[in-house]
Amino acid sequence: MTEKPLLQTLRRMGPSRRPFWFMRQAGRYLPEYREVRAEAGDFLALCYNPKLAAEVTLQPWRRFGTDAVILFADILLVPDALGQKVAYVEGDGPRLEPLRDAAGVAKLQLEGLERRLAPVFETVAKIKAGVDEKTAVIGFAGAPWTVVAYMVEGGGSVQFAAPRLWAYRDPPAFQALIDVIAEATVRYLAAQVRAGAEVLQLFDTWAGLLAASQFRQYCVEPTRKIVRALKAEFPSLPIIGFPKGANAVLGDYARETGVDAISLDVQVPPAVAATLAPSVALQGNLDPLAVVAGGERMTGETGQILRAIPAARHVFNLGHGFLPETPPAHVEALAKMLREWKQGE
Ligand code: CP3
């Protein structure tokens, strides 16, 4: 029997209290992160350095007493390890050489993937050794659609028109790319679990850009396959899905992918979410900007979420990651409120 509140909630075991952690809890808003980041050189070097990556993973846990730590890495390490080299440009986000045809798909190197990502698994082992018996270790990956969106576009975008257009123009080649990423993702996540991850989260940040027909094919289906493959190897492993922007098709995602919990973006009204998918746990969904604002707006919004979702099936979190301008003192106040909250208030 596990004692960890996060695992109790995700297994619907009647947790001792409502657990919390925050997306992007490690990052630039913390001065101690900026220090280690400067020591590492660039962002990718930090991701591939187990000692430093473990250190920044643990920083927010030490400060705020979160119920979980999330591996410090990035969703784009998968294309990087497949041979589509990624660079992070200061202030401008990730850059990749765009991949737009079947020949590009054929060049991706699945073989040796675990070897090239070995530093990440070493980070997982280090953070597992660094936390106490109440804290869960979360591993993660991008879901295939979101990773493919960056690979085809060649970087960030508002519309991600290039990958969506390719999916319409050449479905077999696009599907082949989704399949390679799904396969790589299963291998990447399975290795994280073997190294010590106890929960996994799949980030599908751009799920909301897909048309309804594309959503089923490129978000729900690959996620379902990944969940099935991982559960075949690790039957009691909880998996959280984050189909950001799914809105009207969020219920389909919750019912059909087999995830144990859905992470809600800021737009989903908590009371609606609570009725949406009775069999899954819910995570979310405070607006990260409310934490930048702080004070009564932050505590008011937080109280609304806490009242709307029953504690037994809720992991408190944000609706998206912390912003770099977030004052750490506001996060401290939020963590204190969450620790002291009594149901019925
Ligand atoms: O604490 C944690 O949440 C764990 C670490 C983590 C990072 N990225 C570190 C990071 C996680 C879980 C991610 C996921 C990720 N990465 C997503 C999905 C979640 C989301 O935010 O939507 C996406 C789309 C990416 C790709 C990515 N990585 C982008 C677009 C950028 C640039 C934008 C930005 O915020 O700078 C990154 C860089 C990145 N990943 C940073 C961090 C802490 C900032 C890098 C820095 O230190 O300069």
Side-chain angles (χ1 to χ4, degrees):
M1 268 285 252
T2 175
E3 295 277 294
K4 303 186 178 188
L6 180 71
L7 297 181
Q8 291 172 332
T9 302
L10 295 175
R11 294 188 176 130
R12 269 83 85 213
M13 282 170 30
S16 44
R17 65 186 168 75
R18 191 186 316 238
F20 71 93
W21 64 280
F22 307 113
M23 290 195 265
R24 280 281 168 97
Q25 61 188 26
R28 285 161 295 186
Y29 76 106
L30 292 176
E32 61 269 35
Y33 170 83
R34 295 195 297 269
E35 231 171 76
V36 176
R37 166 86 153 69
E39 185 188 336
D42 71 8
F43 174 69
L44 270 185
L46 177 54
C47 291
Y48 286 122
N49 181 323
K51 184 166 163 278
L52 298 182
E55 169 58 22
V56 297
T57 301
L58 297 174
Q59 287 171 345
W61 175 71
R62 290 191 200 114
R63 243 194 211 248
F64 309 119
T66 52
D67 288 290
V69 289
I70 179 161
L71 163 70
F72 189 85
D74 198 78
I75 66 165
L76 300 180
L77 297 188
V78 167
D80 192 61
L82 288 169
Q84 190 188 10
K85 291 294 164 220
V86 177
Y88 286 83
V89 183
E90 205 61 54
D92 200 31
R95 282 284 169 71
L96 308 81
E97 187 69 39
L99 187 163
R100 298 204 174 156
D101 54 25
V105 181
K107 274 197 237 146
L108 297 172
Q109 282 280 329
L110 264 170
E111 212 196 300
L113 184 78
E114 286 93 339
R115 186 169 36 77
R116 289 188 293 281
L117 291 166
V120 177
F121 313 135
E122 206 181 317
T123 305
V124 174
K126 281 192 187 319
I127 62 183
K128 183 70 170 284
V131 295
D132 63 18
E133 69 289 347
K134 298 262 186 269
T135 307
V137 172
I138 305 177
F140 76 94
W145 155 246
T146 289
V147 174
V148 162
Y150 285 98
M151 294 173 79
V152 175
E153 191 74 38
S157 163
V158 176
Q159 284 295 329
F160 285 96
R164 292 197 293 129
L165 189 56
W166 188 20
Y168 284 125
R169 283 188 172 149
D170 191 353
F174 188 79
Q175 184 69 53
L177 179 54
I178 290 278
D179 291 346
V180 171
I181 299 308
E183 163 75 21
T185 303
V186 169
R187 287 166 53 171
Y188 181 46
L189 290 174
Q192 291 183 28
V193 175
R194 284 181 216 114
E198 304 166 285
V199 176
L200 296 175
Q201 178 151 328
L202 275 169
F203 288 89
D204 218 346
T205 303
W206 303 112
L209 294 179
L210 291 167
S213 61
Q214 291 184 319
F215 183 82
R216 176 158 305 276
Q217 193 172 352
Y218 302 125
C219 174
V220 172
E221 271 305 307
T223 301
R224 195 175 63 78
K225 278 194 205 149
I226 291 169
V227 170
R228 199 175 47 189
L230 289 165
K231 297 248 179 189
E233 192 174 346
F234 313 104
S236 65
L237 171 78
I239 302 176
I240 305 167
F242 180 41
K244 184 169 168 282
N247 291 320
V249 281
L250 185 64
D252 295 347
Y253 180 96
R255 284 185 299 274
E256 293 169 26
T257 56
V259 295
D260 299 271
I262 40 176
S263 199
L264 309 169
D265 61 56
V266 300
Q267 278 197 300
V268 188
V272 172
T275 60
L276 228 166
S279 65
V280 301
L282 302 170
Q283 176 175 277
N285 68 343
L286 182 64
D287 188 342
L289 270 176
V291 188
V292 176
E296 281 175 17
R297 284 321 297 259
M298 177 178 79
T299 53
E301 296 282 323
T302 300
Q304 279 184 32
I305 294 167
L306 293 173
R307 280 181 215 99
I309 309 181
R313 56 185 292 224
H314 185 214
V315 177
F316 190 89
N317 204 317
L318 307 172
H320 200 190
F322 276 140
L323 297 157
E325 61 269 35
T326 307
H330 294 182
V331 180
E332 182 51 59
L334 176 59
K336 184 166 183 290
M337 175 177 177
L338 294 169
R339 271 194 299 271
E340 292 170 0
W341 179 267
K342 299 272 179 302
Q343 208 56 31
E345 269 179 58

